[in-house]
Every structure is written in C-alpha cells, then in structure tokens.
Amino acid sequence: MKRKITLKQIARELDVSISTVSKALSNSKEISEDTTQKIQAFAKLYNYKANNIALSLKNRKTKTIGILIPEIVHHFFSTVIRGIERVANRRGYNVIVGLSNESFTKEIINMEMLANGSIDGIILSISKETLLKQDYHHFNATINQGIPIVMFDRVVNEVDCDKVIVDDFNGAVKAVKKLVENGCKNIALITTMDYVSVGRLRTQGYLEALGLSGIEANSNLILKIDDSLDVENHLDILETEITQFFKANPNIDGLFAVNELYAVSAMKVARKLGLTIPDDMQVIGFTDGVLSKHATPSLTTVSQHGQKMGEQSANLLIDRLEAEDNDNEQYFTNNPKDHDFIKVVIETEIIERESTK
Amino acid sequence: MKRKITLKQIARELDVSISTVSKALSNSKEISEDTTQKIQAFAKLYNYKANNIALSLKNRKTKTIGILIPEIVHHFFSTVIRGIERVANRRGYNVIVGLSNESFTKEIINMEMLANGSIDGIILSISKETLLKQDYHHFNATINQGIPIVMFDRVVNEVDCDKVIVDDFNGAVKAVKKLVENGCKNIALITTMDYVSVGRLRTQGYLEALGLSGIEANSNLILKIDDSLDVENHLDILETEITQFFKANPNIDGLFAVNELYAVSAMKVARKLGLTIPDDMQVIGFTDGVLSKHATPSLTTVSQHGQKMGEQSANLLIDRLEAEDNDNEQYFTNNPKDHDFIKVVIETEIIERESTK
DNA sequence: TTGTATGCGTTATCAA
DNA sequence: TTGATAACGCATACAA
C-alpha cells in the first residue's frame, strides 16, 4: 500500500527543497523550466494531489459547505440537496450533510460539529422542534463566528441571513382560486400546526383566496394535523383523522392540502368513502414529488421547485463566501453590506393533473 | 464578529504557554488544579472548541466518512444515507456526500476529491456507467492509498472490499414463488439491462423460481428496459413499452418487477387496458418505498431494507477504520486480515399489500 | 533560480 | 508543574 505522496517526499526524492516543488507544481515562473518539468513529471507519475486538510488549515477555508436539514428521506429535501450539490461542485465546493431529524438538540450538535472548522458556510432548513421552541441562538452564534448561513423553505425572521423561500402564500392563493374557478363551493383545507411557517403561510393563502372570491371561511372545513410527535402509526392516525373530517363535512367538493402526503391520503380516504375524484371532489396539493406524479388519480400540485431552491441557496452562499475573500477588512467591521441580506422568493406554478377538472 | 478562539489566544490572554492550555483542557494531571480551573473557565466562557481541521491534520484522520452514490432523489438511496448517518454520528463521525449522477467521470472526480484527505473511508454504490464500462481502477486506486471502501447494493467482484447487499436472488425467488402459489400461470418479468448486477440477480431469481415450480420460462414474458440514457420523457417511454408488452401478451396474470417504479407504472398501464389488480393480474415489486405504500392499489413488495444496509455499511467501515488504529503495523504489511473482506447479505422479506391476493 | 523560515491550530515529547 | 519545540502538509515572504 502506497500512502499518498507529499511535497516533502517529492522534494527529498528529487533532491530539491519543498518550496521549489510547491512552486514548480503551481507553474510559478520563478522556477526554471528544467526543474519544473522534472518535478511535474515526477508528481504526475506518483499521482500527487495536494492534501485538502493541509490546504484548509493554511487557507482558513475548507471549500466545503454544510447542509443541515430535518430529514433526508423526503423527496423535497433530497431535491434541494441535489440542487445544492450541483452548483457547489460546479463552483469547486464539496458538500457535507447533517440531519437534525426534526430535533432541536441534534440541530445544535450538528451545527457545532460543522461550525468547528469543517465548513465555510451552512445551508439549512429549520427543524420543527426549533420552530416550536422559537430558540434560534445557535444560528446567531454561528453567524457571529463569521460563518454565513442561508436558510431555505423553513425560515424565520429572527435570524439575519440570506433566505430562499417559495411563495407559499401566493401558491396557496393560486391553488384555491383554481378550485373556485373549477366550480367548487365548499373548499376544505388540510394543514399543519401553525408553528411551521410554511403551513401558516399556506393557510393564510387559503383564507385570502376565499376572501377574494367572496366565500366565507368556515373553520369546520379546516383540518390541522399535529405531526410533531413522529409516531410509528402516523399514517393510520392521519387517515383516521381525515375520515372523520370528511364524514363530518360531506359537502366538501374541493380540497387544498399543504403537502402531497396529506393530499394523497385524502384521495385514498375519499375513494374509500365512495367519492370519485375529481367528479365529487377536486384535490390540489403542495410540493411536486413522486407521490403526486404516480398517485391515482395523479395529483394536481403547486410545485415547490426544490432543486431550484437548492441551486439558489448555494449560489447565494458561495457568492457571499467569495465576496468576503475580496474586501475582507471592510466587510467585517460595520460595513452596511453586512446587513444587506437577500431574500429570494421562488415563484410557484400549478401543475395540472387528473385530480382537478 | 468574534472569530473562533484558539489555544494561542487563550494562552496569551492568560499568560501561560500554549501547551499548558492544551493539557489543561484535556484534564492532564500534569497541570495544577488552579491553572486547570482558570483555563477551563476561560475556555468555557469563550466557548472554545478545538478546530477540526487542525486535529485532522495532526491525527491524520478526519473522522468523517464519504458517501458516493449515483443519485440522491431516490427513496432507496436516501434511506441508506439516513442509516449511514445514524451510526456514523453515534460513533463520532461526520458524513460527506458526493453524487455520481450515474456518470463514470463524475464518480472518479468525486472519489479523488474525497480521497484527497477529506475522509477516512468511503461507502459507495457503483454508477451505471461504471458498471457498463467495467472499469474499476479508481476503486482499487483509493483502496491502495489506504482508504477502505465499503460497497452496497451495486457491488462488483473485481474489487476487494467489504460489501453489503440484499439477497436479490432469493428475494426474487420468494416473490415469484408467491405469485405461483397465488395461482398465476403466466408470470411476466420487467427488469433492467443485465449489466446492473441487481437486475441480473433478480432476473436469475425469477428464472430459478419458475424452474422450481416446473414452469417453463418464456422469453416473450420478459421485458428488459434500457434506462441507461436518462432522457426527459423516460416515463412516457416506459409506459409505452409496457403497453406494447401487455398487448403482445394478453395472457399475463402475474408480474414481477425489479423496482417499484416499473411495478407502479405497470399497474397504471394495466388499469388503462381495463385490467383489475389483483384480480386479473397480481403484481409484486422490489424495494419498498413511498410509491409502493401509496400506490393504488398499494403494492406488494420485496423490501430492500435501505436503512439497515446503510447502518451495516457504516459499522463495517468504522470497524475497519478503528481496527487500523490498533494493530497498525501488522495490518498493513501482508497480514492475512487484509484480505478478510466481509460480505453482509441482508435478508429480504415480502411485504404483502393489495396488489396480490 | 533556488532555498529558508514562518504560520495555519493541535498534540506529544522532552527539557526546565 | 510548566514551557519550548517539533510535526502534520502546504504556501509564501523573504533571503541567498
């Protein structure tokens, strides 16, 4: 087994100094053509590559960005990762992944792990428990350490950083408006508890659209699911709740759900209750994942553009990272730029499928 | 903004030497209780944490493991990552992710990136293009550099390393046997091209089960999908092929598909052709993902246990990593242990749902 | 044109 | 009980 070769070994082997080797390999014109050739040939032969760790230590930057998300077995989040990874790699960065598993504590531990020199910046989406606790000190702490953060999807006003979100409010408005246009009179909503910002915004959009259409909101037609406790039989509970909801409100002829799982589950329940979709009830979900595409009937959704969110987040972060490189001093004192945080809003669009007319 | 504090700064502040600080923080009893107290208090106040990069350089180990997979927007792979991440974190490791996007070149580039000091070991699943080319030199190169590799799911005999696979062959046998027991006479197979080992093994299992049941295999009942070219309208092509396949073989009453997408698509096509599942045709897929659970009817599958594969892979890798720590010398000469590679086979099981009787 | 010295942040060895 | 020094691998300012 041949360990990776280092500058030192090349230097010894070729009987030159380490710095000569270093310069030759970076094509410095300080070094004569002869030695450069010799050194480069040797390096190539032994497949020399500079050690990343040493470079990181020297340059005080790792060229890797951390991702911290609540869950990876989730189409939306993996889509975002893919987007981040694409632009990160293109721009010469690596990607390191931490999972909070929706837990406040694990989010903090992971942040500290990452912030301890492993990464130059972080892209994250806040865990549910953190949202519930409303304790964001760990984010501010890392930012204060000089590690820029970009938040996506589940963001929060209390933290000053770049953000990438989807237009949850208007996405919901569009969806509900569409249901109204399609002739629905009693439009129900299945949503999450309010502490998840995206759920709250989508709920507001639902109410707004009803208002605009001159329909009075009816709180009976709103079902709030509490999925904070991640129990085994979550799915059964979900279906039971929806069943009761539908039975209590047999007049529902349109449904907007804030995610695709709720929408697909609702369709399943509706079918079991003998309803035909979209004839008896039209359904629109949020987030365009595999489920939407392959459900029966396939689901009309408000697309969330996860990959695009990832790409934007990565670009935002790397832009800021490389901006620091240039105007170092200014940037870190009390330059106004410090507070010019960008909020990118990605437009949603409705992808029509079979669950609406 | 306060940059992370270092040993040097603490030392200067407290007017002691760097090594005193270092020792005090690691509770060395060389240092007097007084100074230890003082130093630890100060460190805590400023939230001192040792810099990972410096530690990595010093210890020649990064305590992070690399994952290299073909695709992340894929339920199976994200499940595996979750498994890896769980045990990695528990055992004090971080996880860094690279995506090959099924490309040979990108796989190599990523391997080199990772192998350049960023990680202590790699867990990977081979890209399709690599499988097709049968060029595995990059894997062997990394192993020769002293970086252990664990392969999962898409593995290959030509590389000497630990492997974690699912019992593809027997899983397929079980599935097809079940169809036979359920009374199917003309059992079709939808599979991938043979160069993907898991596809080949599952195909062999299909043939084996037919043989055992005294049914003669009929090549007309086998549909091989070529998904090597990752085109936009892949789904349409898939459905078209399946439609032709079903029309050409109206006698099919049982179907085994080597992944859930094929199975679900087949069910959709079957329904369009007026067939009822499971009455007219029973279907079993491989891999237990979201689609299987939420399809209509829900799909009976052979479970692939992605998370368990991830956990096993991580344990295997970390075990080897920490074994190196101990018997360093022996391990790297020509110790027989060097060649004692482990192949973990995870048993499959059939999860019965509505697509079979 | 080449080499020496220094520093990035740590720990370990050895000297005081 | 404490501190100086070297080393991990690299890049670079400066000296020769």
Side-chain angles (χ1 to χ4, degrees):
Chain A
M1 195 205 56
K2 33 178 187 181
R3 259 225 132 52
K4 287 226 68 151
I5 197 169
T6 69
L7 286 188
K8 191 196 260 190
Q9 291 167 39
I10 299 184
R12 195 174 342 146
E13 216 62 41
L14 262 43
D15 210 49
V16 291
S17 79
I18 293 180
S19 59
T20 303
V21 178
S22 174
K23 288 171 186 165
L25 289 178
S26 58
N27 279 313
S28 160
K29 48 192 168 352
E30 280 183 25
I31 307 298
S32 76
E33 197 150 327
D34 258 19
T35 30
T36 301
Q37 289 258 326
K38 193 176 58 179
I39 291 174
Q40 292 197 345
F42 190 89
K44 180 155 197 181
L45 179 64
Y46 284 90
N47 192 30
Y48 170 82
K49 293 265 166 41
N51 179 309
N52 281 333
I53 297 291
L55 286 182
S56 297
L57 186 59
K58 177 118 193 52
N59 303 330
R60 279 122 145 279
K61 65 181 52 150
T62 61
K63 284 281 185 178
T64 105
I65 78 191
I67 303 182
L68 186 43
I69 52 175
E71 172 60 270
I72 197 167
V73 186
H74 194 301
H75 184 265
F76 170 65
F77 285 123
S78 53
T79 295
V80 175
I81 293 189
R82 183 211 255 158
I84 296 175
E85 208 263 357
R86 289 251 164 111
V87 343
N89 271 25
R90 182 157 43 72
R91 297 183 68 171
Y93 284 73
N94 251 323
V95 154
I96 181 167
V97 172
L99 307 179
S100 71
N101 202 21
E102 302 286 11
S103 141
F104 177 68
T105 317
K106 226 195 143 193
E107 187 172 86
I108 293 186
I109 293 178
N110 261 300
M111 284 243 38
E112 287 179 347
M113 274 270 243
L114 294 177
N116 244 25
S118 306
I119 48 87
D120 296 338
I122 297 187
I123 298 176
L124 64 84
S125 197
I126 308 178
S127 84
K128 278 186 197 160
E129 200 187 347
T130 306
L131 252 12
L132 194 53
K133 275 191 142 75
Q134 304 194 17
D135 182 346
Y136 310 120
H137 76 273
H138 49 308
F139 301 135
N140 289 316
T142 4
I143 292 173
N144 276 329
Q145 269 175 44
I147 298 180
I149 286 184
V150 176
M151 293 187 173
F152 70 90
D153 198 54
R154 276 136 71 154
V155 308
V156 108
N157 283 328
E158 286 86 339
V159 183
D160 266 343
C161 63
D162 294 325
K163 287 156 195 163
V164 179
I165 53 172
V166 103
D167 192 348
D168 292 289
F169 178 81
N170 279 314
V173 170
K174 278 187 208 169
V176 175
K177 267 190 176 165
K178 168 146 208 74
L179 290 173
V180 172
E181 285 164 13
N182 283 9
C184 298
K185 302 296 178 202
N186 298 287
I187 301 177
L189 169 71
I190 303 185
T191 183
T192 60
M193 301 308 265
D194 274 347
Y195 64 85
V196 180
S197 56
V198 297
R200 190 177 57 243
L201 288 169
R202 291 170 197 170
T203 301
Q204 285 169 3
Y206 161 85
L207 295 172
E208 171 77 7
L210 289 186
L212 287 175
S213 312
I215 301 177
E216 199 169 341
N218 174 353
S219 65
N220 289 330
L221 293 185
I222 299 181
L223 174 61
K224 290 197 183 184
I225 306 284
D226 181 7
D227 58 352
S228 60
L229 44 164
D230 203 9
V231 286
E232 268 304 299
N233 51 352
H234 177 250
L235 217 58
D236 295 339
I237 295 179
L238 180 60
E239 288 183 14
T240 309
E241 287 199 52
I242 297 176
T243 306
Q244 287 169 354
F245 180 59
F246 281 173
K247 281 185 177 163
N249 300 281
N251 56 342
I252 295 174
D253 57 359
L255 172 68
F256 173 55
V258 298
N259 59 47
E260 67 173 6
L261 179 61
Y262 292 175
V264 169
S265 300
M267 293 204 297
K268 186 185 280 183
V269 169
R271 196 171 35 243
K272 279 187 186 154
L273 294 177
L275 299 172
T276 305
I277 292 169
D279 297 332
D280 300 329
M281 184 193 295
Q282 300 183 54
V283 182
I284 300 185
F286 212 110
T287 287
D288 187 44
V290 263
L291 276 183
S292 308
K293 219 169 295 168
H294 296 283
T296 323
S298 57
L299 181 68
T300 296
T301 60
V302 181
S303 73
Q304 206 176 348
H305 296 302
Q307 179 160 344
K308 197 184 283 181
M309 290 184 86
E311 289 167 1
Q312 293 263 18
S313 304
N315 276 322
L316 238 41
L317 183 63
I318 298 179
D319 284 350
R320 195 166 287 275
L321 253 19
E322 319 222 303
E324 290 176 6
D325 285 356
N326 303 330
D327 45 23
N328 238 321
E329 264 82 69
Q330 303 168 38
Y331 201 76
F332 283 128
T333 52
N334 46 9
N335 189 319
K337 270 170 79 186
D338 241 351
H339 306 287
D340 284 352
F341 289 108
I342 299 172
K343 183 181 232 168
V344 173
V345 177
I346 294 183
E347 281 307 309
T348 58
E349 74 202 65
I350 293 193
I351 300 177
E352 292 193 50
R353 297 211 182 81
E354 303 162 354
S355 66
T356 50
K357 288 180 193 168
Chain B
M1 195 205 57
K2 36 179 184 181
R3 257 224 132 55
K4 287 227 68 153
I5 198 169
T6 68
L7 286 188
K8 191 195 261 189
Q9 292 167 41
I10 300 184
R12 198 175 337 150
E13 217 63 42
L14 262 40
D15 209 47
V16 290
S17 80
I18 294 180
S19 50
T20 304
V21 178
S22 174
K23 287 170 187 166
L25 290 177
S26 58
N27 279 313
S28 161
K29 47 191 167 354
E30 280 182 25
I31 307 297
S32 76
E33 198 152 325
D34 259 20
T35 31
T36 301
Q37 289 257 326
K38 193 176 58 179
I39 290 175
Q40 291 195 347
F42 190 89
K44 181 157 197 180
L45 180 64
Y46 283 90
N47 192 29
Y48 171 82
K49 293 266 167 39
N51 179 309
N52 281 334
I53 297 292
L55 286 182
S56 297
L57 186 59
K58 179 112 192 55
N59 302 331
R60 278 120 146 282
K61 66 181 50 147
T62 61
K63 284 281 185 178
T64 106
I65 76 190
I67 303 183
L68 186 43
I69 52 176
E71 171 62 89
I72 197 169
V73 185
H74 194 302
H75 185 264
F76 170 66
F77 285 122
S78 53
T79 294
V80 175
I81 293 189
R82 183 211 256 156
I84 296 175
E85 207 262 356
R86 291 251 163 112
V87 344
N89 270 26
R90 182 157 42 73
R91 298 183 68 170
Y93 285 74
N94 252 322
V95 153
I96 181 168
V97 172
L99 306 179
S100 71
N101 202 20
E102 302 287 13
S103 140
F104 176 69
T105 317
K106 226 195 143 193
E107 187 171 85
I108 293 184
I109 292 177
N110 262 300
M111 284 245 34
E112 287 180 347
M113 275 270 243
L114 294 177
N116 244 30
S118 306
I119 47 89
D120 297 338
I122 297 186
I123 298 176
L124 63 84
S125 197
I126 308 179
S127 83
K128 277 187 197 158
E129 200 187 348
T130 306
L131 253 11
L132 194 54
K133 275 192 142 73
Q134 305 194 16
D135 182 346
Y136 311 119
H137 76 274
H138 48 310
F139 301 134
N140 289 316
T142 338
I143 292 174
N144 276 329
Q145 269 175 44
I147 298 179
I149 286 182
V150 175
M151 293 187 174
F152 70 90
D153 198 54
R154 275 137 70 155
V155 308
V156 108
N157 284 327
E158 286 85 338
V159 182
D160 267 342
C161 63
D162 293 326
K163 286 156 196 165
V164 179
I165 53 172
V166 104
D167 191 348
D168 292 290
F169 178 81
N170 280 312
V173 170
K174 279 186 206 168
V176 175
K177 267 189 176 166
K178 167 145 209 72
L179 290 173
V180 173
E181 284 163 14
N182 283 9
C184 298
K185 301 297 179 202
N186 298 288
I187 301 177
L189 169 72
I190 303 185
T191 183
T192 60
M193 302 307 265
D194 275 346
Y195 64 85
V196 181
S197 55
V198 297
R200 191 178 55 244
L201 288 168
R202 291 171 196 170
T203 301
Q204 285 168 3
Y206 162 84
L207 296 171
E208 171 77 6
L210 289 186
L212 288 175
S213 312
I215 300 177
E216 199 168 342
N218 174 353
S219 66
N220 288 331
L221 293 185
I222 300 181
L223 174 61
K224 290 196 183 185
I225 307 283
D226 182 7
D227 59 352
S228 60
L229 43 162
D230 204 10
V231 286
E232 269 304 300
N233 52 350
H234 178 249
L235 218 58
D236 296 338
I237 295 179
L238 180 61
E239 289 183 14
T240 310
E241 286 198 53
I242 297 176
T243 307
Q244 288 170 353
F245 179 59
F246 282 173
K247 281 187 176 161
N249 301 280
N251 56 342
I252 295 174
D253 57 0
L255 171 68
F256 172 56
V258 299
N259 60 47
E260 67 174 7
L261 180 61
Y262 292 174
V264 169
S265 300
M267 293 204 298
K268 185 183 281 183
V269 169
R271 197 171 35 243
K272 279 190 186 152
L273 294 177
L275 300 171
T276 306
I277 292 169
D279 296 332
D280 300 328
M281 183 192 295
Q282 300 184 53
V283 181
I284 300 185
F286 212 110
T287 287
D288 187 44
V290 262
L291 276 184
S292 308
K293 220 168 294 170
H294 297 282
T296 321
S298 58
L299 181 68
T300 296
T301 59
V302 181
S303 74
Q304 208 177 349
H305 296 301
Q307 180 160 342
K308 196 183 284 181
M309 289 184 86
E311 290 167 359
Q312 293 265 17
S313 303
N315 277 321
L316 238 41
L317 182 63
I318 298 178
D319 284 350
R320 195 166 286 275
L321 252 20
E322 319 222 304
E324 289 175 8
D325 284 357
N326 303 329
D327 43 25
N328 238 321
E329 265 82 69
Q330 301 168 37
Y331 200 76
F332 282 131
T333 51
N334 44 9
N335 188 319
K337 272 169 77 184
D338 240 354
H339 305 289
D340 284 352
F341 289 109
I342 299 173
K343 182 182 232 169
V344 173
V345 178
I346 295 182
E347 282 306 309
T348 59
E349 73 202 65
I350 293 193
I351 299 177
E352 292 193 49
R353 296 211 183 82
E354 302 162 353
S355 66
T356 48
K357 288 181 191 168

